Amino acid sequence: MSFIDDAKHWATMPVPGGARGAAQDALYEAMPVPDLAALWCRLQALGLKDQTEESWGATLYFDHLPHDAPDRALDMALQVLASDVETRVKMQLGEKFMAALVYNHAGRLIDRIEAEAAGNARLRWLLGAVHWWAPSRDLKARLARIADEAAWRADESLRDTPPVRIDYASLSVDALARAWVEQHGRPEKDRDANWHALADFERRLLDRDPDRALDLVVAVLAIETDPNLLSLLAAGLLEDLIGPETIARVEREASNNPAFRALLGGVWYHNETEDLRARLDAIVNAAA
């Protein structure tokens, strides 16, 4: 398997674990396709703060659907495309759902996809996002012939262009914290270039100014209490900034800030050095 093929494999795998349960799955499997499509559309409107155990379980069901039931998955995608939901919602089909379906089952579904696409401009539009995920050269070529990539890219550009671009480097720490909460709390369908720019800015902070990254963590913690967002903060920015150069300040912050000590409980640090693990263990165990 090549590097590209390996990357595609991981990108289209269903997310393991989580709140998925047999009873909940049975409910979804019994749903008529129009109801299933409506449920999928509603999930796309949820931001991180809106997520519940039930919504996570539903998301996991849909994550597995293209792998487990490809014909039903295609039926659902066609139903979503035929609905009157906004284009941003329909575009979420192209993020992972159809990519997984094409990568894993294009060979089985290609004849049906070609037949459906002949009279379905919206399906041709969606294929513009995913045709290259097909696992063979022949399947890629067949899908590329019917895909309307130009139409997809035009809508993608509209979606990704924000009304105002945010210059994160120019913001105060407090303003940056507010922007972090706003951007990371958005539904995935509403992410635009500002969301991607924030992700890039965070990486630059981690590489060049980990102290400012820690300032940002503390500032977010001062204004946000939502457990889903704080879990993201702990497992993302905070976890990534912890190292030999920052551990002393992490210890100082933890000694004065109970919320920060609690946040460290969401950090996975078992691959760190023995000394770093011991120092973090001391903080986390004291907070327990």
Side-chain angles (χ1 to χ4, degrees), residues 20-262:
R20 190 180 183 208
Q24 195 175 5
D25 281 3
L27 175 66
Y28 301 143
E29 287 162 6
M31 277 186 178
V33 169
D35 294 343
L36 195 67
L39 174 61
W40 182 89
C41 291
R42 288 197 297 274
L43 287 174
Q44 309 317 305
L46 300 182
L48 196 54
K49 288 186 177 184
D50 305 313
Q51 297 289 351
T52 64
E53 286 292 312
E54 185 178 9
S55 68
W56 285 124
T59 297
L60 285 170
Y61 170 80
F62 286 115
D63 197 41
H64 284 257
L65 186 61
H67 301 262
D68 299 342
D71 284 293
R72 183 166 168 83
L74 182 55
D75 288 341
M76 194 208 80
L78 292 170
Q79 185 71 40
V80 172
L81 291 174
S83 73
D84 59 359
V85 296
E86 63 175 325
T87 297
R88 281 178 175 268
V89 170
K90 294 178 181 180
M91 293 187 81
Q92 287 303 108
L93 288 170
E95 293 301 314
K96 187 172 184 180
F97 190 89
M98 280 296 290
L101 190 62
V102 166
Y103 180 69
N104 290 283
H105 297 291
R108 172 179 172 176
L109 296 173
I110 185 63
D111 291 338
R112 183 182 171 197
I113 290 173
E114 287 175 328
E116 294 279 359
N120 189 331
R122 266 308 185 185
L123 178 56
R124 296 194 297 274
W125 166 82
L126 180 58
L127 291 171
V130 300
H131 62 87
W132 60 278
W133 284 97
S136 73
R137 184 175 299 177
D138 175 64
L139 289 170
K140 282 187 179 74
R142 289 176 69 175
L143 289 175
R145 281 195 292 270
I146 57 176
D148 189 352
E149 187 168 355
W152 173 270
R153 296 302 174 200
D155 282 332
E156 185 179 54
S157 179
L158 287 173
R159 179 195 64 186
D160 292 347
T161 303
V164 177
R165 291 187 181 269
I166 301 172
D167 179 9
Y168 293 106
S170 70
L171 298 181
S172 68
V173 171
D174 289 342
L176 188 56
R178 292 191 295 272
W180 190 97
V181 169
E182 195 275 330
Q183 291 294 326
H184 285 296
R186 287 183 169 202
E188 288 187 20
K189 73 179 181 67
D190 293 330
R191 291 176 180 174
D192 56 25
N194 282 331
W195 185 90
H196 295 286
L198 178 58
D200 291 340
F201 180 73
E202 289 181 47
R203 284 191 289 271
R204 288 197 299 275
L205 279 185
L206 291 167
D207 290 340
R208 303 173 188 175
D209 196 352
D211 269 329
R212 185 167 170 80
L214 188 49
D215 290 341
L216 174 56
V217 170
V218 173
V220 170
L221 195 55
I223 63 172
E224 187 54 62
T225 59
D226 179 78
N228 289 335
L229 271 178
L230 293 185
S231 293
L232 175 66
L233 182 66
L237 192 58
L238 179 56
E239 183 173 307
D240 291 341
L241 68 82
I242 291 175
E245 303 83 5
T246 57
I247 185 60
R249 183 170 171 208
V250 167
E251 289 171 326
R252 290 196 302 273
E253 292 289 347
S255 68
N256 297 316
N257 187 337
F260 186 82
R261 286 199 301 274

Side-chain angles (χ1 to χ4, degrees), residues 252-276:
R252 290 196 302 273
E253 292 289 347
S255 68
N256 297 316
N257 187 337
F260 186 82
R261 286 199 301 274
L263 190 67
L264 284 166
V267 170
W268 181 266
Y269 56 85
H270 299 282
N271 291 327
E272 300 293 348
T273 64
E274 184 176 351
D275 175 66
L276 201 58

